[in-house]
Amino acid sequence: MAQFAVIGLGRFGITIAETLVKKGAEVIAIDNDEKKVEEVRAFVTNSVCLDSTDEQALRAIDIGNVDAVVIAIGENIEVSVLTAAILRKIGVGKILAKVDSELHARILTIMGVQRTIFPEQYVGREIANLLISQHVFTYTEISKEHSVVEISVPSFFVEKSLKDLDVRNKYNISIIAIKSTKPTVDELGNNILLEDTNVLPSAEDVLHQSDRIIIIGKNNDVDALVKIAEKRKMQE
Ligand code: ATP
């Protein structure tokens, strides 16, 4: 079973710990505030009150053997950087860290932290992308240049097969899933909408008006398709 440690039990750290536990992972939750440690005691595998700048304390809980450590301390850069340095020294293979600024991210990256997360920037970008178009339901940047985006089916895609659309050549994107809803009746006789996701659809699959598609591509290409869809909608 995968084992992780989360250092810093603010809202960010607790959310990560909770989600990891729900997905079946073992989680060691760490904070230097006993109250925070108490808050998570009931649902994590192990909760420990210690100062993450104390190398001996981290070695004592065998932190070097977990699959990844999340440093969820954003505000105090000194503590975050020192914690990362100690984890590197101990030999932790994978470190991810919450950051509060670009400078903080740069320092940690130089120190070998594999992934830095700027939660406000991350969520801010996603919200802005959702606001920009009524067609976009989720917008997830998977690298600096690429995104996975869930959009409603553009009107000029309706009742066409993926083969006819040839989106890879025409728009430089790929459709990786089709989400559809089908009206049906449940065991109690209620009318309900059944959600179905067709992952990796085939060339013969046809898109319907009420469907949503999940596309992957370069940000520019994804944005270009969304813009064309918006423009056509306004003209209809
Ligand atoms: P969030 O925005 O996630 O709610 P926060 O606003 O509480 O976080 P942060 O400064 O990022 O603020 O701190 C996150 C947690 O890290 C706090 O619960 C804090 O007690 C803990 N923490 C701070 N310093 C240390 C340390 N040296 N060792 C262990 N935990 C620490």
Side-chain angles (χ1 to χ4, degrees):
M1 191 189 287
Q3 198 187 36
F4 303 98
V6 178
I7 303 177
L9 303 172
R11 286 156 301 176
F12 183 75
I14 287 192
T15 307
I16 290 179
E18 266 174 353
T19 312
L20 287 171
V21 169
K22 273 189 200 148
K23 291 194 177 284
E26 286 187 0
V27 176
I28 306 172
I30 299 163
D31 203 290
N32 63 351
D33 179 344
E34 183 60 52
K35 270 190 266 152
K36 299 280 178 133
V37 175
E38 202 49 51
E39 261 181 63
V40 300
R41 183 147 289 152
F43 70 85
V44 295
T45 318
N46 188 9
S47 54
V48 190
C49 186
L50 60 77
D51 181 342
S52 62
T53 61
D54 179 346
E55 183 179 336
Q56 290 317 315
L58 287 176
R59 283 189 188 276
I61 59 163
D62 220 5
I63 204 154
N65 282 329
V66 301
D67 296 297
V69 178
V70 180
I71 306 172
I73 304 168
E75 270 172 35
N76 192 332
I77 295 191
E78 276 174 51
V79 170
S80 163
V81 170
L82 195 50
T83 302
I86 293 168
L87 293 175
R88 293 281 293 155
K89 186 177 168 202
I90 292 174
V92 172
K94 195 170 178 191
I95 307 170
L96 300 85
K98 173 189 168 187
V99 294
D100 260 13
S101 66
E102 292 292 348
L103 181 69
H104 189 180
R106 269 179 28 216
I107 296 169
L108 290 181
T109 305
I110 290 166
M111 289 171 58
V113 168
Q114 284 89 345
R115 177 88 201 261
T116 55
I117 310 123
F118 201 154
E120 288 83 359
Q121 198 180 68
Y122 194 81
V123 176
R125 268 203 221 127
E126 172 147 355
I127 300 288
N129 279 313
L130 298 187
L131 285 173
I132 240 41
S133 167
Q134 294 173 347
H135 285 272
V136 179
F137 295 94
T138 61
Y139 195 115
T140 309
E141 289 183 5
I142 55 168
S143 75
K144 281 209 169 105
E145 279 185 41
H146 298 84
S147 296
V148 173
V149 180
E150 180 180 342
I151 58 172
S152 48
V153 171
S155 55
F156 47 100
F157 280 12
V158 173
E159 299 309 327
K160 296 210 170 102
S161 72
L162 299 193
K163 195 169 157 190
D164 294 338
L165 288 168
D166 194 18
V167 290
R168 229 178 261 182
N169 287 320
K170 288 188 189 150
Y171 300 99
N172 215 16
I173 55 118
S174 295
I175 296 178
I176 55 172
I178 303 171
K179 285 174 100 176
S180 55
T181 47
K182 288 189 191 95
T184 184
V185 180
D186 69 8
E187 60 273 20
L188 298 170
N190 302 313
N191 290 319
I192 55 161
L193 285 173
L194 204 64
E195 272 196 21
D196 182 48
T197 304
N198 176 0
V199 180
L200 299 179
S202 72
E204 278 68 41
D205 285 325
V206 173
L207 299 177
H208 304 291
Q209 196 170 14
S210 58
D211 292 346
R212 290 181 187 180
I213 49 175
I214 298 175
I215 62 176
I216 184 168
K218 285 196 169 173
N219 297 339
N220 287 347
D221 296 321
V222 168
D223 292 348
L225 175 63
V226 171
K227 254 192 199 148
I228 300 170
E230 285 288 335
K231 217 170 163 185
R232 293 276 185 98
K233 183 103 188 155
M234 276 165 42
Q235 289 163 353
E236 281 163 12

